[in-house]
Amino acid sequence: MVLTVNGKRHEVRLEPRVSLLDALREHLGLPGSKKGCDQGTCGACTVWVDGRRVLACLTLAVACEGREVTTIEGLSSGGDLHPMQAAFVERDAFQCGYCTPGQIMSAVALLGEGHAGDDAEIAEWMSGNICRCAAYPNIRAAIRDVRDAAGGKR
Amino acid sequence: MRPFSYARVADADAAIAAVRERADSAFLAGGTTAVDLVRQNVLRPGLLVDINDLPLSGIEDLPDGGLRIGALARMGDVAGVPAVRERFPVIAQALLLGASAQLRNMASMGGNLCQRVRCSYFRDPASPCNKRDPGSGCAALEGFNRGHAILGTSDKCIATHPSDVAVALVALDAVVHTRGPAGERAIGIDDFFLLPGDTPEREHPLEHGELITAIEVPATPVARRSAYLKFRDRESYEFALASVAAAVRIEDGTVAEVRLALGGVGTKPWRARRAEASLLGQPATGASFAEAARQELASARPRPLNAFKVELAQRAIVRALATLTDGGAR
């Protein structure tokens, strides 16, 4: 099958039962997406498929043939951090870092969806990303920073 | 995960034929139930037929004021449609209070109706479960049953149906449209969900290979004043302990029209007909709401760990009606 990830075509031979998450981490050398629960309850595996945030652990790799997959590795261009990545660093929005790629992929998508009006809305629309280190206030601060730098709700 | 074959199809008849060809095949839409349960060894398909390319994602207004929701419309997309938010707020609210943003992007409306129970014994292949392995027993009866049902139970199964939007759809008398080996048919949504009885493994009256194509919501003016309230341990991203879909119209201080359905407490999304009957013609007061709720929950059969749901469900009904009527002011 052909998987298109971060704009690049990969020809792979994978069984249908391989999740998108395992395909990325184990077969495509893209371990940035994390396996926190493997059952759709933590959000650490959040990636974009055709620009929409989804859970890679509950997605079959084979079902992504013909679709565009974007991972945390695809967010930055060259050596430059994406504004959301920079904001997470600036705002100390992580401790152990394990939920962080999923948080960032979710946060960028959130701004695109237009649901970052206030902290309550941000918290609700980010509720699919769990952080055991409880970096939530700083995660919300990072999201607000990027939202405001972009001039509003986006 | 056990290995399975995969096929992608582009039209409904190809999908139906592909599933019909073998007894152990199933449709694959969003995958949020299927991939999870195949990984847990609860579902063991030999073939998954990917139907995501079928042209069933449309959400359209019907000329009479109803709504037709394609089976492959994603939860999040339906919730964002202005017509849904204006004419059927209970549907939009139920969708947005369910799952997470990521799951709502993946999960289809048809799949939402067919999602499986959260009972930990159902999800553990080593535990007795009449729904998963008919005749093996029900470990939940005397086990950890805090989240289980108090309405519609049998001595074979007490698992709660977990969907939120199904509760709203049941309150609104939606119709499930299917296409199968025998052609097309329409199933009233209350009939789409089966009580466990002696056959908890049968959850829907669908034939093998019968595909949900759309969900139609009839024109329902009372739904303009409707709401979905959800009560759970966590503020977000958690299943309901009890939930209510409600719509109400008050005339001269009395209840002229009302729809009520309960989630989190039934083995199927629970249309609260006794409560509705009790409310009609009554003054729109807390006392009437409480009496209606009491009547609906009178037949509840709680287990030790979920007995709190009897009271919680009643208060949820009262809260929902009070919210919609400003405590009687509207």
Side-chain angles (χ1 to χ4, degrees):
Chain A
M1 70 180 83
V2 177
L3 291 178
T4 307
V5 185
N6 300 330
K8 193 169 154 213
R9 280 172 54 98
H10 300 263
E11 290 223 14
V12 287
R13 275 182 69 86
L14 296 174
E15 291 185 43
R17 62 179 162 163
V18 176
S19 66
L20 175 62
L21 182 62
D22 283 338
L24 294 169
R25 292 176 56 80
E26 309 295 336
H27 301 276
L28 294 180
L30 295 168
S33 309
K34 303 306 183 198
K35 180 177 289 190
C37 73
D38 215 17
Q39 54 176 305
T41 60
C42 79
C45 66
T46 302
V47 298
W48 305 340
V49 174
D50 288 340
R52 288 155 65 105
R53 51 173 163 158
V54 298
L55 302 177
C57 70
L58 294 184
T59 304
L60 296 178
V62 67
C64 293
E65 194 167 24
R67 311 199 195 284
E68 303 268 341
V69 179
T70 312
T71 71
I72 189 73
E73 290 95 341
L75 257 204
S76 53
S77 48
D80 297 328
L81 293 178
H82 185 281
M84 189 63 73
Q85 291 171 309
F88 266 59
V89 172
E90 193 61 37
R91 287 292 196 164
D92 190 28
F94 53 92
Q95 288 188 33
C96 79
Y98 204 72
C99 75
T100 309
Q103 297 278 2
I104 291 172
M105 295 305 285
S106 211
V108 177
L110 169 71
L111 291 185
E113 291 160 14
H115 291 296
D118 59 14
D119 264 21
E121 200 184 14
I122 292 172
E124 175 59 34
W125 285 82
M126 289 293 293
S127 71
N129 292 86
I130 295 182
C131 174
R132 192 62 179 84
C133 300
Y136 300 114
N138 294 358
I139 292 170
R140 287 192 291 273
I143 292 171
R144 287 198 305 269
D145 285 354
V146 179
R147 175 198 68 196
D148 298 340
K153 239 183 182 184
R154 280 195 63 83
Chain B
M1 215 190 304
R2 287 168 187 246
F4 50 82
S5 299
Y6 169 92
R8 204 186 277 196
V9 291
D11 70 78
D13 288 334
I16 292 162
V19 168
R20 284 291 287 183
E21 232 177 72
R22 41 193 299 180
D24 65 348
S25 55
F27 298 115
L28 175 70
T32 55
T33 289
V35 177
D36 182 26
L37 290 181
V38 174
R39 185 171 292 133
Q40 306 278 5
N41 224 14
V42 172
L43 293 178
R44 302 180 183 108
L47 167 69
L48 285 181
V49 178
D50 185 331
I51 57 171
N52 289 290
D53 287 339
L54 267 55
L56 297 176
S57 315
I59 304 160
E60 43 177 296
D61 286 336
L62 298 174
D64 64 353
L67 196 66
R68 184 177 172 97
I69 304 170
L72 287 174
R74 308 294 154 168
M75 287 172 71
D77 293 334
V78 176
V81 172
V84 175
R85 282 157 46 193
E86 279 165 33
R87 304 209 308 270
F88 304 97
V90 61
I91 293 178
Q93 290 173 23
L95 286 166
L96 292 179
L97 287 172
S100 67
Q102 293 93 313
L103 286 166
R104 294 193 294 269
N105 280 341
M106 300 163 77
S108 68
M109 290 296 291
N112 185 298
L113 300 185
C114 295
Q115 70 182 283
R116 309 305 298 278
V117 299
R118 309 308 304 186
C119 173
S120 53
Y121 303 106
F122 169 73
R123 287 169 171 264
D124 170 27
S127 287
C129 171
N130 290 318
K131 181 181 285 290
R132 193 193 62 245
D133 298 316
S136 62
C138 172
L141 282 171
E142 303 300 328
F144 184 72
N145 48 39
R146 181 171 179 269
H148 287 61
I150 54 173
L151 296 168
T153 59
S154 75
D155 60 3
K156 301 289 190 295
C157 186
I158 60 170
T160 310
H161 195 279
S163 171
D164 292 304
V165 70
V167 178
L169 294 170
V170 160
L172 298 178
D173 286 326
V175 176
V176 180
H177 291 268
T178 69
R179 186 178 178 86
E184 297 190 337
R185 63 170 170 151
I187 307 170
I189 193 152
D190 200 23
D191 296 328
F192 184 77
F193 296 100
L194 304 176
L195 290 171
D198 289 328
T199 54
E201 70 278 12
R202 287 270 295 158
E203 297 179 345
H204 308 286
L206 293 174
E207 281 190 62
H208 183 64
E210 189 174 358
L211 177 70
I212 302 171
T213 54
I215 301 161
E216 272 192 25
V217 186
T220 319
V222 69
R224 277 189 179 265
R225 177 169 296 155
S226 66
Y228 187 77
L229 271 63
K230 185 173 182 180
F231 301 94
R232 43 186 167 171
D233 289 326
R234 226 164 37 174
E235 193 170 323
S236 186
Y237 200 20
E238 179 66 270
F239 291 94
L241 293 172
S243 66
V244 185
V248 69
R249 179 166 58 87
I250 310 294
E251 261 173 30
D252 297 324
T254 59
V255 177
E257 205 179 340
V258 64
R259 304 291 188 99
L260 274 178
L262 301 175
V265 294
T267 55
K268 56 182 273 185
W270 198 261
R271 182 72 183 270
R273 297 183 199 282
R274 276 179 218 89
E276 289 179 4
S278 167
L279 283 165
L280 283 175
Q282 292 303 308
T285 63
S288 305
F289 302 160
E291 174 57 21
R294 191 197 61 76
Q295 287 189 25
E296 187 65 46
L297 273 298
S299 64
R301 297 176 62 129
R303 306 302 301 174
L305 296 181
N306 69 8
F308 70 92
K309 288 193 178 191
V310 182
E311 176 70 20
L312 181 65
Q314 291 177 64
R315 295 191 194 190
I317 291 173
V318 173
R319 177 73 66 87
L321 292 169
T323 300
L324 286 173
T325 60
D326 282 341
R330 284 198 283 167

Short mmCIF file of all heavy atoms in Angstrom, two decimals, chain B residues 65-122:
data_model
loop_
_atom_site.label_atom_id
_atom_site.label_comp_id
_atom_site.label_asym_id
_atom_site.label_seq_id
_atom_site.Cartn_x
_atom_site.Cartn_y
_atom_site.Cartn_z
N GLY B 65 -39.46 20.20 6.80
CA GLY B 65 -38.83 20.69 8.03
C GLY B 65 -38.06 19.63 8.79
O GLY B 65 -37.49 19.89 9.84
N GLY B 66 -38.09 18.40 8.28
CA GLY B 66 -37.30 17.35 8.91
C GLY B 66 -35.87 17.40 8.44
O GLY B 66 -35.44 18.32 7.75
N LEU B 67 -35.14 16.38 8.83
CA LEU B 67 -33.71 16.34 8.57
C LEU B 67 -33.33 14.93 8.13
O LEU B 67 -33.81 13.95 8.71
CB LEU B 67 -32.99 16.66 9.88
CG LEU B 67 -31.52 17.05 9.88
CD1 LEU B 67 -31.33 18.38 9.18
CD2 LEU B 67 -31.05 17.15 11.33
N ARG B 68 -32.50 14.83 7.09
CA ARG B 68 -32.01 13.52 6.69
C ARG B 68 -30.49 13.51 6.87
O ARG B 68 -29.78 14.30 6.27
CB ARG B 68 -32.36 13.22 5.23
CG ARG B 68 -31.96 11.82 4.78
CD ARG B 68 -32.41 11.54 3.35
NE ARG B 68 -31.85 10.29 2.88
CZ ARG B 68 -32.52 9.12 2.89
NH1 ARG B 68 -33.75 9.06 3.34
NH2 ARG B 68 -31.93 8.01 2.45
N ILE B 69 -30.01 12.62 7.73
CA ILE B 69 -28.59 12.55 8.08
C ILE B 69 -28.03 11.27 7.47
O ILE B 69 -28.47 10.16 7.80
CB ILE B 69 -28.41 12.50 9.62
CG1 ILE B 69 -29.07 13.71 10.28
CG2 ILE B 69 -26.93 12.43 9.97
CD1 ILE B 69 -29.14 13.62 11.80
N GLY B 70 -27.07 11.41 6.57
CA GLY B 70 -26.44 10.24 5.98
C GLY B 70 -25.74 9.40 7.03
O GLY B 70 -25.17 9.93 7.98
N ALA B 71 -25.76 8.09 6.86
CA ALA B 71 -25.17 7.20 7.86
C ALA B 71 -23.69 7.44 8.06
O ALA B 71 -23.16 7.18 9.14
CB ALA B 71 -25.41 5.74 7.47
N LEU B 72 -23.02 7.94 7.03
CA LEU B 72 -21.58 8.19 7.16
C LEU B 72 -21.25 9.62 7.53
O LEU B 72 -20.06 9.98 7.60
CB LEU B 72 -20.86 7.80 5.85
CG LEU B 72 -20.75 6.30 5.62
CD1 LEU B 72 -20.16 6.01 4.24
CD2 LEU B 72 -19.89 5.64 6.68
N ALA B 73 -22.26 10.45 7.78
CA ALA B 73 -21.97 11.78 8.30
C ALA B 73 -21.28 11.60 9.64
O ALA B 73 -21.68 10.77 10.45
CB ALA B 73 -23.27 12.57 8.46
N ARG B 74 -20.22 12.38 9.87
CA ARG B 74 -19.45 12.24 11.12
C ARG B 74 -20.14 13.05 12.21
O ARG B 74 -20.73 14.10 11.96
CB ARG B 74 -18.02 12.72 10.93
CG ARG B 74 -17.31 12.09 9.74
CD ARG B 74 -17.08 10.60 9.87
NE ARG B 74 -17.01 9.94 8.56
CZ ARG B 74 -16.59 8.69 8.35
NH1 ARG B 74 -16.22 7.95 9.36
NH2 ARG B 74 -16.58 8.20 7.13
N MET B 75 -20.03 12.58 13.43
CA MET B 75 -20.68 13.21 14.58
C MET B 75 -20.40 14.71 14.62
O MET B 75 -21.30 15.53 14.80
CB MET B 75 -20.18 12.59 15.89
CG MET B 75 -20.67 11.19 16.18
SD MET B 75 -19.81 10.52 17.62
CE MET B 75 -20.52 11.50 18.95
N GLY B 76 -19.12 15.06 14.47
CA GLY B 76 -18.74 16.46 14.58
C GLY B 76 -19.36 17.31 13.49
O GLY B 76 -19.75 18.46 13.72
N ASP B 77 -19.46 16.76 12.30
CA ASP B 77 -20.02 17.52 11.18
C ASP B 77 -21.51 17.77 11.38
O ASP B 77 -22.01 18.85 11.10
CB ASP B 77 -19.78 16.78 9.86
CG ASP B 77 -18.30 16.72 9.51
OD1 ASP B 77 -17.54 17.61 9.97
OD2 ASP B 77 -17.87 15.78 8.81
N VAL B 78 -22.22 16.78 11.88
CA VAL B 78 -23.66 16.96 12.12
C VAL B 78 -23.87 18.04 13.18
O VAL B 78 -24.74 18.90 13.05
CB VAL B 78 -24.31 15.63 12.55
CG1 VAL B 78 -25.79 15.83 12.89
CG2 VAL B 78 -24.16 14.58 11.45
N ALA B 79 -23.06 18.02 14.22
CA ALA B 79 -23.22 18.98 15.32
C ALA B 79 -23.00 20.41 14.85
O ALA B 79 -23.53 21.35 15.44
CB ALA B 79 -22.26 18.64 16.45
N GLY B 80 -22.22 20.58 13.78
CA GLY B 80 -21.89 21.92 13.31
C GLY B 80 -22.87 22.49 12.31
O GLY B 80 -22.74 23.65 11.92
N VAL B 81 -23.86 21.72 11.88
CA VAL B 81 -24.80 22.21 10.88
C VAL B 81 -25.77 23.21 11.51
O VAL B 81 -26.45 22.87 12.49
CB VAL B 81 -25.59 21.03 10.26
CG1 VAL B 81 -26.70 21.53 9.35
CG2 VAL B 81 -24.65 20.10 9.49
N PRO B 82 -25.85 24.43 10.97
CA PRO B 82 -26.73 25.45 11.58
C PRO B 82 -28.17 24.98 11.73
O PRO B 82 -28.80 25.23 12.75
CB PRO B 82 -26.62 26.63 10.61
CG PRO B 82 -25.28 26.47 9.96
CD PRO B 82 -25.05 24.99 9.87
N ALA B 83 -28.69 24.27 10.74
CA ALA B 83 -30.08 23.81 10.83
C ALA B 83 -30.28 22.86 11.99
O ALA B 83 -31.33 22.86 12.65
CB ALA B 83 -30.47 23.12 9.52
N VAL B 84 -29.26 22.05 12.29
CA VAL B 84 -29.36 21.13 13.43
C VAL B 84 -29.38 21.92 14.73
O VAL B 84 -30.19 21.68 15.62
CB VAL B 84 -28.19 20.12 13.42
CG1 VAL B 84 -28.23 19.24 14.67
CG2 VAL B 84 -28.25 19.24 12.18
N ARG B 85 -28.48 22.91 14.81
CA ARG B 85 -28.40 23.70 16.05
C ARG B 85 -29.65 24.52 16.31
O ARG B 85 -30.05 24.72 17.46
CB ARG B 85 -27.15 24.57 16.01
CG ARG B 85 -25.92 23.72 16.33
CD ARG B 85 -24.60 24.24 15.85
NE ARG B 85 -24.38 25.63 16.09
CZ ARG B 85 -23.41 26.31 15.53
NH1 ARG B 85 -22.59 25.71 14.69
NH2 ARG B 85 -23.25 27.58 15.78
N GLU B 86 -30.28 24.98 15.21
CA GLU B 86 -31.47 25.81 15.38
C GLU B 86 -32.73 24.99 15.62
O GLU B 86 -33.53 25.32 16.48
CB GLU B 86 -31.71 26.65 14.12
CG GLU B 86 -30.87 27.90 14.04
CD GLU B 86 -30.90 28.47 12.63
OE1 GLU B 86 -31.95 28.33 11.96
OE2 GLU B 86 -29.87 29.01 12.22
N ARG B 87 -32.92 23.95 14.80
CA ARG B 87 -34.19 23.24 14.85
C ARG B 87 -34.16 22.04 15.78
O ARG B 87 -35.21 21.60 16.26
CB ARG B 87 -34.61 22.80 13.44
CG ARG B 87 -34.68 23.93 12.44
CD ARG B 87 -35.71 23.67 11.35
NE ARG B 87 -35.55 22.39 10.69
CZ ARG B 87 -34.79 22.18 9.61
NH1 ARG B 87 -34.08 23.17 9.11
NH2 ARG B 87 -34.72 20.99 9.06
N PHE B 88 -32.98 21.51 16.02
CA PHE B 88 -32.86 20.31 16.87
C PHE B 88 -31.66 20.45 17.81
O PHE B 88 -30.75 19.61 17.78
CB PHE B 88 -32.68 19.06 15.98
CG PHE B 88 -33.76 18.85 14.96
CD1 PHE B 88 -33.59 19.27 13.64
CD2 PHE B 88 -34.95 18.23 15.31
CE1 PHE B 88 -34.58 19.08 12.68
CE2 PHE B 88 -35.95 18.03 14.36
CZ PHE B 88 -35.76 18.45 13.05
N PRO B 89 -31.65 21.48 18.65
CA PRO B 89 -30.49 21.68 19.53
C PRO B 89 -30.16 20.45 20.37
O PRO B 89 -28.99 20.22 20.68
CB PRO B 89 -30.89 22.87 20.42
CG PRO B 89 -32.32 23.16 20.13
CD PRO B 89 -32.66 22.54 18.82
N VAL B 90 -31.16 19.64 20.73
CA VAL B 90 -30.89 18.45 21.55
C VAL B 90 -29.93 17.51 20.82
O VAL B 90 -29.09 16.85 21.46
CB VAL B 90 -32.21 17.73 21.93
CG1 VAL B 90 -32.97 17.25 20.71
CG2 VAL B 90 -31.95 16.59 22.89
N ILE B 91 -30.03 17.45 19.49
CA ILE B 91 -29.14 16.57 18.72
C ILE B 91 -27.72 17.13 18.76
O ILE B 91 -26.75 16.41 19.01
CB ILE B 91 -29.62 16.41 17.26
CG1 ILE B 91 -30.94 15.65 17.22
CG2 ILE B 91 -28.57 15.71 16.42
CD1 ILE B 91 -31.52 15.50 15.81
N ALA B 92 -27.58 18.43 18.49
CA ALA B 92 -26.25 19.04 18.49
C ALA B 92 -25.60 18.91 19.86
O ALA B 92 -24.42 18.58 19.97
CB ALA B 92 -26.36 20.51 18.06
N GLN B 93 -26.36 19.17 20.90
CA GLN B 93 -25.80 19.10 22.26
C GLN B 93 -25.40 17.66 22.60
O GLN B 93 -24.34 17.43 23.19
CB GLN B 93 -26.81 19.62 23.28
CG GLN B 93 -27.01 21.13 23.19
CD GLN B 93 -28.13 21.61 24.09
OE1 GLN B 93 -28.50 20.96 25.07
NE2 GLN B 93 -28.69 22.76 23.75
N ALA B 94 -26.25 16.72 22.26
CA ALA B 94 -25.92 15.32 22.57
C ALA B 94 -24.64 14.90 21.85
O ALA B 94 -23.79 14.21 22.42
CB ALA B 94 -27.07 14.40 22.17
N LEU B 95 -24.48 15.34 20.61
CA LEU B 95 -23.26 14.99 19.88
C LEU B 95 -22.03 15.60 20.53
O LEU B 95 -21.02 14.93 20.72
CB LEU B 95 -23.39 15.45 18.42
CG LEU B 95 -24.33 14.59 17.57
CD1 LEU B 95 -24.66 15.32 16.27
CD2 LEU B 95 -23.72 13.24 17.28
N LEU B 96 -22.13 16.90 20.88
CA LEU B 96 -20.94 17.59 21.40
C LEU B 96 -20.59 17.17 22.82
O LEU B 96 -19.46 17.36 23.26
CB LEU B 96 -21.15 19.10 21.33
CG LEU B 96 -21.20 19.66 19.91
CD1 LEU B 96 -21.44 21.16 19.93
CD2 LEU B 96 -19.91 19.34 19.15
N LEU B 97 -21.55 16.62 23.55
CA LEU B 97 -21.26 16.12 24.90
C LEU B 97 -20.73 14.70 24.87
O LEU B 97 -20.36 14.15 25.91
CB LEU B 97 -22.51 16.21 25.78
CG LEU B 97 -22.87 17.64 26.19
CD1 LEU B 97 -24.24 17.67 26.89
CD2 LEU B 97 -21.81 18.23 27.11
N GLY B 98 -20.67 14.10 23.69
CA GLY B 98 -20.17 12.75 23.57
C GLY B 98 -18.73 12.70 23.09
O GLY B 98 -18.25 13.59 22.40
N ALA B 99 -18.04 11.67 23.48
CA ALA B 99 -16.71 11.35 22.97
C ALA B 99 -15.74 12.52 23.15
O ALA B 99 -15.78 13.24 24.14
CB ALA B 99 -16.80 10.92 21.51
N SER B 100 -14.83 12.70 22.16
CA SER B 100 -13.87 13.80 22.16
C SER B 100 -13.86 14.36 20.75
O SER B 100 -14.43 13.77 19.84
CB SER B 100 -12.47 13.29 22.52
OG SER B 100 -11.97 12.43 21.48
N ALA B 101 -13.20 15.49 20.58
CA ALA B 101 -13.16 16.11 19.26
C ALA B 101 -12.58 15.15 18.21
O ALA B 101 -13.11 15.04 17.10
CB ALA B 101 -12.35 17.40 19.30
N GLN B 102 -11.52 14.44 18.59
CA GLN B 102 -10.91 13.52 17.63
C GLN B 102 -11.89 12.41 17.27
O GLN B 102 -12.07 12.06 16.10
CB GLN B 102 -9.64 12.88 18.21
CG GLN B 102 -8.48 13.84 18.43
CD GLN B 102 -8.45 14.41 19.84
OE1 GLN B 102 -9.46 14.85 20.37
NE2 GLN B 102 -7.26 14.43 20.44
N LEU B 103 -12.53 11.83 18.27
CA LEU B 103 -13.47 10.74 18.02
C LEU B 103 -14.66 11.23 17.21
O LEU B 103 -15.16 10.53 16.34
CB LEU B 103 -13.94 10.12 19.34
CG LEU B 103 -12.89 9.25 20.03
CD1 LEU B 103 -13.30 8.97 21.47
CD2 LEU B 103 -12.68 7.94 19.28
N ARG B 104 -15.10 12.48 17.47
CA ARG B 104 -16.24 13.01 16.72
C ARG B 104 -15.89 13.27 15.26
O ARG B 104 -16.77 13.29 14.40
CB ARG B 104 -16.76 14.30 17.38
CG ARG B 104 -17.37 14.08 18.76
CD ARG B 104 -18.14 15.29 19.24
NE ARG B 104 -17.31 16.46 19.46
CZ ARG B 104 -16.73 16.77 20.62
NH1 ARG B 104 -16.89 15.96 21.67
NH2 ARG B 104 -16.01 17.85 20.73
N ASN B 105 -14.61 13.44 14.97
CA ASN B 105 -14.19 13.57 13.57
C ASN B 105 -14.19 12.23 12.86
O ASN B 105 -14.31 12.16 11.64
CB ASN B 105 -12.78 14.17 13.49
CG ASN B 105 -12.76 15.67 13.66
OD1 ASN B 105 -13.77 16.33 13.48
ND2 ASN B 105 -11.60 16.21 14.01
N MET B 106 -14.00 11.16 13.62
CA MET B 106 -13.89 9.83 13.03
C MET B 106 -15.23 9.10 12.96
O MET B 106 -15.51 8.39 11.99
CB MET B 106 -12.94 8.96 13.88
CG MET B 106 -11.53 9.50 14.01
SD MET B 106 -10.65 8.73 15.37
CE MET B 106 -10.23 7.14 14.66
N ALA B 107 -16.03 9.24 14.01
CA ALA B 107 -17.18 8.36 14.21
C ALA B 107 -18.36 8.76 13.33
O ALA B 107 -18.74 9.92 13.28
CB ALA B 107 -17.59 8.38 15.68
N SER B 108 -18.96 7.76 12.69
CA SER B 108 -20.11 8.00 11.83
C SER B 108 -21.40 7.91 12.63
O SER B 108 -21.45 7.29 13.69
CB SER B 108 -20.15 6.95 10.71
OG SER B 108 -20.44 5.67 11.25
N MET B 109 -22.46 8.52 12.09
CA MET B 109 -23.74 8.49 12.78
C MET B 109 -24.31 7.06 12.82
O MET B 109 -24.84 6.63 13.83
CB MET B 109 -24.73 9.42 12.08
CG MET B 109 -24.39 10.90 12.24
SD MET B 109 -24.48 11.48 13.96
CE MET B 109 -26.26 11.38 14.24
N GLY B 110 -24.17 6.34 11.72
CA GLY B 110 -24.66 4.96 11.70
C GLY B 110 -23.90 4.10 12.69
O GLY B 110 -24.49 3.30 13.43
N GLY B 111 -22.59 4.30 12.72
CA GLY B 111 -21.76 3.55 13.66
C GLY B 111 -22.09 3.89 15.09
O GLY B 111 -22.03 3.04 15.99
N ASN B 112 -22.44 5.15 15.34
CA ASN B 112 -22.79 5.58 16.69
C ASN B 112 -23.97 4.75 17.22
O ASN B 112 -23.96 4.30 18.37
CB ASN B 112 -23.12 7.06 16.70
CG ASN B 112 -23.39 7.58 18.10
OD1 ASN B 112 -24.33 7.14 18.77
ND2 ASN B 112 -22.58 8.51 18.56
N LEU B 113 -24.97 4.53 16.36
CA LEU B 113 -26.12 3.74 16.80
C LEU B 113 -25.72 2.30 17.13
O LEU B 113 -26.30 1.66 18.00
CB LEU B 113 -27.19 3.70 15.71
CG LEU B 113 -27.80 5.02 15.25
CD1 LEU B 113 -28.93 4.76 14.27
CD2 LEU B 113 -28.28 5.86 16.42
N CYS B 114 -24.71 1.80 16.42
CA CYS B 114 -24.32 0.39 16.54
C CYS B 114 -23.18 0.19 17.53
O CYS B 114 -22.67 -0.93 17.65
CB CYS B 114 -23.89 -0.15 15.18
SG CYS B 114 -25.25 -0.19 14.01
N GLN B 115 -22.74 1.23 18.22
CA GLN B 115 -21.63 1.06 19.14
C GLN B 115 -21.98 0.03 20.20
O GLN B 115 -23.15 -0.17 20.53
CB GLN B 115 -21.23 2.40 19.77
CG GLN B 115 -22.24 2.94 20.76
CD GLN B 115 -21.80 4.29 21.31
OE1 GLN B 115 -20.93 4.36 22.17
NE2 GLN B 115 -22.40 5.36 20.81
N ARG B 116 -20.94 -0.61 20.75
CA ARG B 116 -21.16 -1.68 21.71
C ARG B 116 -21.07 -1.14 23.14
O ARG B 116 -20.61 -0.04 23.39
CB ARG B 116 -20.15 -2.80 21.48
CG ARG B 116 -20.06 -3.30 20.04
CD ARG B 116 -21.42 -3.73 19.46
NE ARG B 116 -22.01 -4.84 20.17
CZ ARG B 116 -21.69 -6.12 19.97
NH1 ARG B 116 -20.77 -6.45 19.09
NH2 ARG B 116 -22.31 -7.07 20.66
N VAL B 117 -21.51 -1.96 24.07
CA VAL B 117 -21.59 -1.53 25.46
C VAL B 117 -20.21 -1.38 26.08
O VAL B 117 -19.24 -1.96 25.60
CB VAL B 117 -22.44 -2.52 26.29
CG1 VAL B 117 -23.86 -2.56 25.73
CG2 VAL B 117 -21.82 -3.91 26.32
N ARG B 118 -20.15 -0.60 27.16
CA ARG B 118 -18.89 -0.35 27.86
C ARG B 118 -18.64 -1.33 29.00
O ARG B 118 -17.62 -1.24 29.66
CB ARG B 118 -18.86 1.07 28.44
CG ARG B 118 -19.22 2.18 27.49
CD ARG B 118 -18.46 2.18 26.20
NE ARG B 118 -17.02 2.22 26.36
CZ ARG B 118 -16.15 2.33 25.36
NH1 ARG B 118 -16.59 2.40 24.12
NH2 ARG B 118 -14.85 2.34 25.59
N CYS B 119 -19.56 -2.25 29.23
CA CYS B 119 -19.43 -3.21 30.33
C CYS B 119 -18.06 -3.88 30.27
O CYS B 119 -17.67 -4.43 29.23
CB CYS B 119 -20.53 -4.26 30.22
SG CYS B 119 -20.36 -5.63 31.40
N SER B 120 -17.34 -3.85 31.38
CA SER B 120 -15.97 -4.36 31.38
C SER B 120 -15.93 -5.86 31.21
O SER B 120 -14.91 -6.41 30.78
CB SER B 120 -15.24 -3.94 32.66
OG SER B 120 -15.99 -4.32 33.79
N TYR B 121 -17.03 -6.54 31.51
CA TYR B 121 -17.05 -7.99 31.33
C TYR B 121 -17.29 -8.35 29.87
O TYR B 121 -16.72 -9.31 29.35
CB TYR B 121 -18.11 -8.62 32.24
CG TYR B 121 -17.89 -8.28 33.69
CD1 TYR B 121 -18.70 -7.36 34.35
CD2 TYR B 121 -16.83 -8.84 34.41
CE1 TYR B 121 -18.48 -7.02 35.67
CE2 TYR B 121 -16.61 -8.51 35.73
CZ TYR B 121 -17.44 -7.59 36.36
OH TYR B 121 -17.22 -7.24 37.66
N PHE B 122 -18.11 -7.54 29.18
CA PHE B 122 -18.28 -7.72 27.74
C PHE B 122 -16.93 -7.57 27.03
O PHE B 122 -16.60 -8.29 26.10
CB PHE B 122 -19.30 -6.71 27.19
CG PHE B 122 -19.35 -6.63 25.69
CD1 PHE B 122 -19.94 -7.64 24.95
CD2 PHE B 122 -18.81 -5.54 25.02
CE1 PHE B 122 -19.98 -7.58 23.56
CE2 PHE B 122 -18.85 -5.46 23.63
CZ PHE B 122 -19.44 -6.48 22.90
#
